[in-house]
Amino acid sequence: MCGGAIHGRGTSRGSPTAPSSPGPGGDDKSHCRRAQEDPEESVLLDYKELGTVGLNARPSLSSSRRQRTNARLVIQLARLEGYSVRPVAGGHSPSDLPCTTGFMIRMDKLDKLLEVNRQQQHVVVQGGMILSTLHSHLDAHGLAMSNVGSISDQSISGNRLYMLLADGSRVHCSRSENTDLFLATLCGLGATGIILRVTLQAERAFRLKETHEAMHIDKAIGQLETVFTEAEHTRMWWYPQTNRVRVDRANRCYEPAQPRFRVNWFYDVVLGYHLTLLLLFFGRFIPAFNYYATFLHSSETMLAPATTTDKSYKVFNLDCLIPHHTTEWCVPFSEARATLLEIKEWLDQEDASPHRLGPDFPIEIRVSKEDDIWLSPAYGQISCWIGIVRYKPYGFSVPYKPLFKRFEQILQNHAGRPHWAKMHDFTPDALRKQYPKFDDYLRVLNAVDPHGLFRNEYVRRHIFGETGPHADKELFLMDT
Ligand SMILES: Cc1cc2nc3c(=O)[nH]c(=O)nc-3n(C[C@H](O)[C@H](O)[C@H](O)COP(=O)(O)OP(=O)(O)OC[C@H]3O[C@@H](n4cnc5c(N)ncnc54)[C@H](O)[C@@H]3O)c2cc1C
């Protein structure tokens, strides 16, 4: 090692990562000197707290002080000691995807804006930048992302990547250079290498005007195509026990801002959060309270002022304040109606049962375009995303596994593909059927990382089909 306060916990665990010679760049000392000087590889070797989703990340290497170290040094040490390396950014994935018993490096301090090109409307940023930080930078330069999910706590991806590979080399990849590496990395599960720098295409900043409408679930399912094509951006929130759906539609506009928080404080904070949370807490003991919570939240979101106008990223994003377990899958849009009908049938049965498990509310339904990213769940098909939650009021544990299992069975009946960041049971055979490019992905992994330096327990279990205590998802679970 080249100094610093890094220390391993325990000795080598004999992981399949084979110790090997120093990477490109010559002898260890000169390599270390150069590496230490490179701020672009300066990462935080630290434990990332994932306890909020009921997981203990259990890394084997920590820093005695929270200090920056060099990613290439971490790779080198891991190779020598036979550990794996896991880059983590927001640590926001509600599964063991960012967890490791190897070395965990935190990328979220690599968050500098490096370049802004207002004419071509693109930016270059360091690879650990979180979306919320990116929005602020873009906003300051009159730019914005064209589309954003429900939250902005996760890190970025982009149109051109600069990566550190397992052998210590650094490469650029995009649609026109190292194309296979690029298409394998965009949904790459942290297994192809460490993303150090990202070029992102943005566009001129814009406002969105969002309206919402209450609808009966039967009407929403019956008119699915219309509901999802009437506006530029649409999402649906389904409140199962009330049979109601809230349809949010957002379109670009040039009207003055009318922000959500100022308009909706009483509904969002007092009713939608504090009172709902209290009812959910009592619902742990007396299930009827869960129904009151559903009814309250549903009425609150339907009754709240129906129009919000704000900067695009503020309208795209939502507050998910109550701790919860979550799972989300997508099906081809052609299967969406049949899937929702089957879910409805299941939920009607659930409702009639005295041992009702849930799910809680809302069931979020979204639609995305098809893409060509090898492991993207939307690869080659317009996709309908359906996500359920099970709340953990005040962080108390709640049963959720049987519920998620049943939901997943239904989604699998309709060619469902799981969200990679959420818990699922897919292994190589199922993945091969669902992802035409799965073997290409494996080919790239074996080429850029033949010794499995970047393979954590999640990747070993799902991508390589390994079984046993070292790959079991229960390894990191703290909750029931
Ligand atoms: C309440 C909630 C709402 C959510 N809503 C959405 C949503 O609307 N849309 C959506 O898509 N997702 C959503 N998610 C899922 C979540 O945001 C994603 O899982 C996202 O990937 C997490 O990003 P992160 O930066 O925290 O990644 P992490 O959890 O830190 O890591 C995810 C993966 O990326 C890899 N990785 C991270 N940084 C690097 C790097 N620099 N180089 C190489 N690999 C790296 C890690 O190794 C890991 O494999 C939601 C999650 C929650 C809990």
Side-chain angles (χ1 to χ4, degrees):
M1 274 308 301
C2 312
I6 304 165
H7 59 266
R9 284 212 295 264
T11 53
S12 170
R13 304 165 58 87
S15 95
T17 309
S20 55
S21 58
D27 68 281
D28 263 359
K29 275 189 187 156
S30 63
H31 176 65
C32 288
R33 250 196 320 275
R34 274 203 308 279
Q36 274 183 327
E37 284 158 12
D38 190 341
E40 196 157 16
E41 293 177 2
S42 170
V43 292
L44 201 60
L45 190 58
D46 192 21
Y47 178 84
K48 177 85 183 167
E49 187 55 66
L50 299 169
T52 46
V53 289
L55 293 167
N56 183 347
R58 288 196 196 164
S60 292
L61 193 69
S62 62
S63 169
S64 60
R65 283 175 291 138
R66 298 181 78 239
Q67 76 168 46
R68 282 172 181 248
T69 188
N70 181 279
R72 251 192 296 173
L73 298 187
V74 181
I75 286 181
Q76 214 167 19
L77 179 66
R79 281 179 11 212
L80 289 171
E81 295 210 351
Y83 281 91
S84 62
V85 175
R86 179 95 311 216
V88 175
H92 209 266
S93 303
S95 72
D96 63 341
L97 177 62
C99 297
T100 183
T101 52
F103 296 175
M104 177 182 279
I105 54 176
R106 284 185 59 174
M107 303 301 298
D108 51 342
K109 304 296 171 201
L110 263 187
D111 64 348
K112 302 278 170 301
L113 175 70
L114 302 173
E115 190 188 318
V116 181
N117 187 327
R118 289 183 70 161
Q119 221 144 40
Q120 295 188 2
Q121 297 171 359
H122 73 232
V123 292
V124 182
V125 302
Q126 288 185 321
M129 184 177 281
I130 301 297
L131 269 175
S132 52
T133 312
L134 177 72
H135 296 324
S136 307
H137 285 305
L138 290 177
D139 196 31
H141 290 91
L143 299 172
M145 298 300 295
S146 301
N147 202 353
V148 182
S150 294
I151 57 162
S152 284
D153 304 278
Q154 66 272 59
S155 56
I156 40 85
S157 190
N159 310 66
R160 187 173 187 238
L161 310 175
Y162 182 53
M163 297 183 62
L164 178 62
L165 301 183
D167 65 359
S169 62
R170 292 185 288 184
V171 292
H172 283 283
C173 64
S174 66
R175 287 191 186 280
S176 56
E177 50 195 329
N178 294 309
T179 313
D180 282 3
L181 178 62
F182 182 69
L183 293 174
T185 300
L186 284 186
C187 230
L189 313 175
T192 56
I194 299 176
I195 301 167
L196 295 174
R197 200 194 303 159
V198 176
T199 305
L200 287 131
Q201 186 61 51
E203 64 173 282
R204 205 180 283 273
F206 57 97
R207 280 198 200 113
L208 283 175
K209 179 175 184 174
E210 184 185 63
T211 55
H212 67 245
E213 176 195 352
M215 215 181 255
H216 193 280
I217 180 63
D218 292 340
K219 184 176 173 193
I221 294 178
Q223 300 182 357
L224 215 51
E225 289 83 359
T226 315
V227 169
F228 277 103
T229 47
E230 274 176 349
E232 287 174 62
H233 303 277
T234 306
R235 71 181 147 220
M236 295 201 317
W237 279 5
W238 175 10
Y239 290 85
Q241 287 179 297
T242 68
N243 275 328
R244 286 199 289 183
V245 175
R246 171 175 145 161
V247 182
D248 288 349
R249 296 186 179 89
N251 287 304
R252 283 157 200 248
C253 81
Y254 298 93
E255 292 168 24
Q258 233 196 331
R260 190 199 317 258
F261 185 76
R262 213 173 53 216
V263 178
N264 288 3
W265 181 84
F266 175 73
Y267 295 98
D268 286 354
V269 180
V270 179
L271 299 184
Y273 178 65
H274 290 293
L275 193 53
T276 305
L277 190 58
L278 197 65
L279 290 174
L280 287 169
F281 174 73
F282 289 126
R284 293 178 72 236
F285 310 104
I286 305 167
F289 278 93
N290 281 334
Y291 173 74
Y292 300 136
T294 313
F295 192 76
L296 173 74
H297 203 272
S298 142
S299 306
E300 173 267 307
T301 63
M302 310 287 179
L303 289 173
T307 306
T308 309
T309 306
D310 211 339
K311 291 178 179 176
S312 55
Y313 63 94
K314 295 188 178 175
V315 174
F316 284 130
N317 280 180
L318 296 162
D319 288 331
C320 306
L321 298 175
I322 305 177
H324 57 268
H325 296 286
T326 174
T327 184
E328 185 172 23
W329 287 57
C330 72
V331 293
F333 191 69
S334 53
E335 283 292 317
R337 179 171 293 114
T339 312
L340 291 169
L341 285 173
E342 197 174 334
I343 292 176
K344 184 169 184 305
E345 195 183 331
W346 162 52
L347 294 179
D348 288 345
Q349 288 163 9
E350 266 282 298
D351 249 1
S353 159
H355 309 293
R356 184 183 186 277
L357 272 177
D360 292 321
F361 51 83
I363 296 178
E364 194 173 31
I365 304 165
R366 296 179 279 185
V367 171
S368 65
K369 282 186 188 159
E370 76 267 36
D371 62 48
D372 64 349
I373 299 160
W374 287 353
L375 286 199
S376 162
Y379 179 87
Q381 59 195 26
I382 302 172
S383 300
C384 177
W385 293 81
I386 307 171
I388 60 170
V389 294
R390 185 86 172 109
Y391 289 122
K392 304 184 341 169
Y394 302 109
F396 286 105
S397 67
V398 288
Y400 68 96
K401 286 184 194 166
L403 177 76
F404 283 15
K405 191 101 209 137
R406 181 73 189 99
F407 173 75
E408 288 167 11
Q409 274 165 2
I410 296 175
L411 275 284
Q412 286 193 50
N413 293 343
H414 299 275
R417 293 172 176 170
H419 188 309
W420 286 108
K422 300 179 181 173
M423 296 276 191
H424 61 90
D425 284 326
F426 265 38
T427 48
D429 285 344
L431 290 169
R432 201 163 273 118
K433 278 189 206 137
Q434 283 292 354
Y435 290 89
K437 292 288 188 180
F438 181 67
D439 284 315
D440 288 303
Y441 175 70
L442 287 184
R443 174 176 52 77
V444 170
L445 284 199
N446 288 326
V448 293
D449 185 15
H451 301 299
L453 185 85
F454 292 117
R455 291 174 203 169
N456 71 340
E457 291 70 11
Y458 177 104
V459 171
R460 292 186 181 287
R461 179 170 70 244
H462 294 296
I463 302 300
F464 291 93
E466 290 183 25
T467 52
H470 74 286
D472 198 304
K473 67 178 169 192
E474 308 283 325
L475 187 63
F476 300 101
L477 223 52
M478 300 193 296
D479 232 337
T480 49

